[in-house]
């Protein structure tokens, strides 16, 4: 039952992440950097402490009592993840929701699930799976097979993107739903984003002592009820400070360079609607990790939990891509190629899930 709940929570989180960019498409008259940072203020500064306040009594005391080294390392991974999140937005901008999310999150799932296991091979910790454990056990080998299948799925999605670009160029047109489509620039940003976005998982690992403290306090007050569903909410605050730092600096630079500071007060645009849609996007974005924490508390923060979460995001994002007709005007071959890539990535999740069940 706990595993089923974990899967459900990861699905809800995946739906939130795969859907968060949709409200941004309703913003009118603002530059990308303007609506991105407004949404980001909700994602990284406003909603996380509100969620912690609602779920973890005295969460500020937990942060204050945490060593400076742990806080600094957690924040550092947040900064790196922030670069990944920033390039995620740009990758989706130039590739579209479907292809951009598939490549970025596929890479993120691979690095996020494997690198912590490599780390624990050199610095063992109780209840943490090392890469040696994965290689030497039947269940671990199945998890690694699932990750390999995920890589294949990403390659197939990349092939679909190349086909799409060639066909649109041959027709002398661009996709109606994404007039900024640029495969070369987009795929470069997607690779950078996929690698650095995995740092969020590293940040969770680095700041796990804060979650452990929250969990111990809750379990002492609620004996016999399992792990605390919301234990990671306190860790998120520090990680997201790092993400805010990166994105705020970059967006302010863009506002200055593009002379778009006036967006925030431009009465020629629907200001109230723009702020509301940006706030909705930012809040929806945070909900992915709110529910990830709940899923992780039921499944464990190993390769299975991370890649399951990422794959649900890929599934939802691609569903939105189809709804938004991002593949309109391409050949059946290109369309079926991206579908094959999506199906392959979903298959990788099933393989990882099977491996986890063997454990």
């Amino acid at each position: 039952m706990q595993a089923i709940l974990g899967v459900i929570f990861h699905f809800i989180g995946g739906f939130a992440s795969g859907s968060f960019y949709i409200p941004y498409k309703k913003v009118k008259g603002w530059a990308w950097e303007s609506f991105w940072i407004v949404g980001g203020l909700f994602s990284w500064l406003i909603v996380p402490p509100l969620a912690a306040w609602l779920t973890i009594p005295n969460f500020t005391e937990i942060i204050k009592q945490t060593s400076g080294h742990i806080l600094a390392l957690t924040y550092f991974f947040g900064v790196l993840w922030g670069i990944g999140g920033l390039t995620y937005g740009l990758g989706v901008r130039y590739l579209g929701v479907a292809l951009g999310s598939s490549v970025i999150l596929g890479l993120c799932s691979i690095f996020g699930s494997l690198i912590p296991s490599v780390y624990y091979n050199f610095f063992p910790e109780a209840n943490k799976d090392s890469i040696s454990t994965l290689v030497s056990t039947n269940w671990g080998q199945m998890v690694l097979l699932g990750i390999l299948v995920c890589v294949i799925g990403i390659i197939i999605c990349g092939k679909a993107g190349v086909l799409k670009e060639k066909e649109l160029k041959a027709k002398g047109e661009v996709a109606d739903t994404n007039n900024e489509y640029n495969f070369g620039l987009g795929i470069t940003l997607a690779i950078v984003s996929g690698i650095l976005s995995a740092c969020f998982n590293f940040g969770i690992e680095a700041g796990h002592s804060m979650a452990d403290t929250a969990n111990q306090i809750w379990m002492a007050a609620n004996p016999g009820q399992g792990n605390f569903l919301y234990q990671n909410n306190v860790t998120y605050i520090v990680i997201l400070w790092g993400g805010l730092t990166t994105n705020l600096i970059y967006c302010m630079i863009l506002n200055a360079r593009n002379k778009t500071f006036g967006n925030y007060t431009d009465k020629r645009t629907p200001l109230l609607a723009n702020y509301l849609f940006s706030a909705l996007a930012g809040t929806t974005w945070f909900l992915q990790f709110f529910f990830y924490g709940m899923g992780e508390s039921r499944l464990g923060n190993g390769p299975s939990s991370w890649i399951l979460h990422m794959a649900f995001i890929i599934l939802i994002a691609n569903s939105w891509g189809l709804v938004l007709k991002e593949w309109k005007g391409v050949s059946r071959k290109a369309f079926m190629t991206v579908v094959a890539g999506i199906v392959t990535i979903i298959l990788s999740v099933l393989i990882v899930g099977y491996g986890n069940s063997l454990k």
Side-chain angles (χ1 to χ4, degrees):
M1 184 61 187
Q2 295 299 316
I4 293 175
L5 283 174
V7 171
I8 292 173
F9 291 144
H10 280 311
F11 176 80
I12 297 173
F15 183 85
S17 181
S19 305
F20 90 93
Y21 205 85
I22 305 303
Y24 282 138
K25 292 181 176 291
K26 298 293 185 180
V27 175
K28 306 296 183 183
W30 279 10
W32 177 87
E33 59 269 18
S34 300
F35 66 70
W36 184 256
I37 197 58
V38 170
L41 289 174
F42 282 85
S43 300
W44 310 311
L45 184 65
I46 298 173
V47 180
L50 176 61
W53 178 72
L54 291 172
T55 56
I56 304 176
N58 301 317
F59 72 92
T60 55
E61 293 301 316
I62 296 176
I63 295 175
K64 289 178 182 178
Q65 294 170 11
T66 303
S67 73
H69 171 72
I70 291 176
L71 290 176
L73 189 59
T74 305
Y75 173 81
F76 172 70
F77 281 125
V79 170
L80 294 181
W81 163 81
I83 299 174
L86 179 64
T87 47
Y88 179 98
L90 292 171
V92 170
R93 177 181 179 182
Y94 293 119
L95 291 178
V97 174
L99 180 60
S101 295
S102 295
V103 176
I104 293 170
L105 297 173
L107 288 169
C108 183
S109 69
I110 294 167
F111 284 97
S113 59
L114 280 183
I115 293 182
S117 299
V118 174
Y119 173 84
Y120 289 123
N121 204 68
F122 296 98
F123 304 96
E125 288 189 21
N127 301 318
K128 297 295 183 181
D129 299 319
S130 68
I131 192 69
S132 295
T133 302
L134 297 179
V135 171
S136 61
T137 59
N138 289 335
W139 71 267
Q141 292 167 4
M142 191 61 64
V143 169
L144 292 175
L145 174 62
I147 293 174
L148 175 61
V149 172
C150 187
V151 173
I152 295 172
I154 295 167
I155 294 172
I156 295 173
C157 286
K159 175 64 175 177
V162 173
L163 290 173
K164 177 182 179 181
E165 182 176 45
K166 287 181 178 179
E167 291 174 5
L168 294 177
K169 283 184 176 180
K171 294 179 180 180
E173 62 183 26
V174 292
D176 294 338
T177 54
N178 186 12
N179 57 17
E180 294 180 301
Y181 183 80
N182 185 322
F183 181 76
L185 177 59
I187 198 67
T188 301
L189 291 167
I191 292 172
V192 173
S193 178
I195 295 172
L196 294 183
S197 292
C199 289
F200 198 99
N201 199 27
F202 309 158
I204 293 175
E205 294 289 336
H208 209 274
S209 63
M210 289 182 279
D212 286 341
T213 300
N215 190 42
Q216 291 166 9
I217 294 173
W218 186 86
M219 291 179 70
N222 302 272
Q225 296 188 35
N227 289 323
F228 185 30
L229 272 178
Y230 309 110
Q231 58 184 276
N232 280 326
N233 284 352
V234 63
T235 311
Y236 292 157
I237 293 175
V238 181
I239 298 174
L240 295 175
W241 284 340
L244 174 63
T245 302
T246 306
N247 283 266
L248 182 61
I249 291 173
Y250 183 71
C251 287
M252 292 301 99
I253 291 173
L254 288 183
N255 276 146
R257 188 177 71 186
N258 299 331
K259 299 180 180 179
T260 52
F261 278 115
N263 286 166
Y264 306 114
T265 57
D266 189 352
K267 294 182 179 180
R268 295 171 297 177
T269 64
L271 282 177
L272 179 58
N274 283 357
Y275 277 108
L276 287 176
F277 280 123
S278 296
L280 176 61
T283 302
T284 302
W285 181 94
F286 173 76
L287 290 177
Q288 68 169 308
F289 288 114
F290 182 84
F291 285 101
Y292 174 83
M294 296 170 67
E296 183 270 336
S297 71
R298 293 297 178 258
L299 290 180
N301 194 26
S304 300
S305 193
W306 182 253
I307 199 170
L308 180 64
H309 181 73
M310 292 295 109
F312 275 135
I313 299 174
I314 293 170
L315 175 62
I316 299 301
N318 277 282
S319 298
W320 277 116
L322 296 176
V323 170
L324 296 172
K325 298 180 180 179
E326 291 181 345
W327 291 83
K328 180 182 178 181
V330 301
S331 67
R332 178 176 174 81
K333 178 182 178 182
F335 178 76
M336 293 309 297
T337 300
V338 75
V339 170
I342 297 168
V343 170
T344 303
I345 292 173
I346 294 173
L347 175 62
S348 74
V349 176
L350 298 177
I351 295 173
V352 169
Y354 176 66
N356 195 50
S357 69
L358 292 178
K359 179 183 178 182

